[in-house]
């Protein structure tokens, strides 16, 4: 059991909604919140989560099997009375391809899954969050801060989500609502299954993928979410926590096999 799933007091008596909480990062966030005493409602197109956490702090996880992009589910989520909303659902939608080959339908799908539903769900829950002095945590990506060729539109919507986070935080701060983002990179999940994606012969390179190596785990992201959801971050709003082993901070610099660093294509 990792530190974020060890029973603790950080969210005792709080209620949380976590979108996409059946798998990957969302499931780790739901588990860590419940381990810290929260009553968590997960909404996911898949059943679950089937997760392991210690119930000593009195937390629990319930789930609704639904598409969070479908507006009719939003009143049910608002009725949970959340103190914390984690907008975790987001997706590449399609394999990398040149922007010139994209279609309107793909842009619409990318908009909906990465930005559109977040606006509508946040809008539906915001009055309740303001009554209770709540916290909103939005999952963006390192690619909201740097390029990702082949996924220009995805990165544009994630960057928009980051900017929504900033502006909304200023708007609702006086009402007692905090709004922050987490920008992951290199986290092993069903969407980004590095264990399958990285050929066996290249796995020895993991220590050089970021200043902290890699890959990271969903629990690494859950730690940041627990901080942003709880009173530990009472005076933190409008910011992004980068959970990426340092890929954003290092800006393309990687350790050479022979020692030292390079930001050039040739990396002997
Ligand atoms: N894994 C990474 O390295 C990484 C990197 C950058 C950003 N992110 C972001 O973190 C978030 C979570 O990523 P992940 O890798 O855990 O994703 P994932 O695809 O592994 O898990 C997402 C979960 O959301 C659910 N889901 C998808 N669409 C849904 C919908 N319309 N309605 C309800 N549930 C839905 C899926 O069933 C799944 O349980 C995403 O916003 C993603 O963009 C992840």
């Amino acid at each position: 059991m990792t530190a974020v799933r060890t029973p603790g007091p950080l969210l005792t008596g709080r209620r949380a909604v976590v979108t996409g909480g059946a798998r990957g990062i969302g499931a780790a966030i739901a588990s860590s919140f419940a381990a810290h005493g929260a009553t968590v409602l997960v909404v996911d197109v898949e059943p679950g989560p089937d997760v392991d956490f210690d119930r000593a702090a009195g937390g629990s996880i319930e789930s609704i099997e639904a598409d969070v992009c479908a507006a009719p589910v939003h009143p049910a989520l608002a009725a949970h009375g959340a103190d914390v909303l984690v907008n975790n659902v987001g997706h590449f939608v399609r394999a990398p391809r040149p922007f010139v080959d994209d279609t309107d339908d793909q842009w619409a799908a990318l908009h909906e899954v990465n930005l559109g539903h977040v606006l509508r769900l946040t809008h539906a829950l915001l009055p309740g969050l303001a009554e209770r002095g709540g916290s909103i945590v939005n999952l963006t990506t390192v690619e909201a801060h740097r390029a990702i060729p082949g996924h220009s539109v995805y990165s544009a919507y994630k960057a928009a989500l980051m900017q929504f986070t900033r502006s909304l935080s200023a708007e609702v701060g006086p009402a007692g609502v905090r709004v922050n983002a987490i920008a992951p990179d290199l986290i092993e999940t069903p969407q980004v299954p590095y264990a399958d994606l990285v050929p066996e012969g290249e796995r020895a390179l993991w220590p050089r993928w970021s200043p902290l190596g890699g890959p990271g785990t969903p629990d690494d992201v859950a730690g940041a979410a627990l901080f942003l959801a709880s009173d530990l971050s009472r005076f933190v709003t409008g910011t992004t926590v980068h959970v990426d082993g340092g890929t954003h901070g290092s800006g393309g610099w990687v350790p050479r096999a022979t020692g030292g660093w390079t930001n050039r294509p040739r990396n002997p």
Side-chain angles (χ1 to χ4, degrees):
M1 184 120 12
T2 61
V4 293
R5 298 188 196 213
T6 303
L10 294 177
L11 296 175
T12 303
R14 308 278 172 91
R15 302 177 73 79
V17 167
V18 179
T19 71
R23 307 274 186 279
I25 290 169
I29 291 173
S31 312
S32 68
F33 283 12
H36 276 260
T39 302
V40 181
L41 180 61
V42 158
V43 56
D44 201 297
V45 288
E46 300 286 342
D50 180 13
V51 284
D52 176 29
F53 69 93
D54 193 318
R55 285 155 213 275
S60 61
I61 303 177
E62 288 168 33
S63 53
I64 296 179
E65 217 175 302
D67 182 347
V68 78
C69 299
V73 76
H74 295 178
L77 299 177
H80 185 62
D83 306 276
V84 180
L85 168 62
V86 181
N87 288 309
N88 167 68
V89 163
H91 211 281
F92 292 114
V93 171
R94 53 158 183 71
R97 56 188 277 170
F99 172 71
V100 74
D101 295 337
D102 264 352
T103 64
D104 260 2
D105 289 352
Q106 286 168 343
W107 296 335
L110 283 161
H111 174 269
E112 189 49 40
V113 80
N114 291 300
L115 182 66
H117 83 271
V118 176
L119 305 184
R120 287 198 299 281
L121 184 58
T122 303
H123 192 264
L125 268 62
L126 195 51
L129 288 164
E131 276 171 26
R132 292 177 284 276
S135 171
I136 300 171
V137 181
N138 295 324
L139 269 290
T140 62
T141 173
V142 69
E143 279 103 16
H145 301 264
R146 70 163 193 215
I148 178 166
H151 286 297
S152 310
V153 177
Y154 163 82
S155 72
Y157 288 134
K158 284 291 199 181
L161 179 55
M162 182 264 289
Q163 196 58 28
F164 172 64
T165 300
R166 281 184 174 153
S167 294
L168 187 67
S169 75
E171 192 178 311
V172 301
V177 180
R178 296 183 300 106
V179 192
N180 291 287
I182 300 174
D185 188 19
L186 302 181
I187 306 297
E188 171 82 42
T189 65
Q191 183 174 163
V192 199
Y194 286 105
D196 301 330
L197 293 175
V198 178
E200 203 174 333
E202 289 181 20
R203 288 180 201 157
L205 297 176
W206 265 120
R208 295 166 50 208
W209 274 49
S210 81
L212 296 182
T217 70
D219 279 10
D220 292 326
V221 184
L226 193 54
F227 167 70
L228 292 173
S230 73
D231 292 344
L232 288 180
S233 58
R234 191 193 68 85
F235 204 49
V236 177
T237 198
T239 198
T240 296
V241 178
H242 293 269
V243 183
D244 60 4
T247 53
H248 172 63
S250 59
W253 286 87
V254 293
R256 283 183 199 277
T258 51
W261 292 79
T262 183
N263 62 358
R264 300 191 177 148
R266 189 157 178 269
N267 184 21

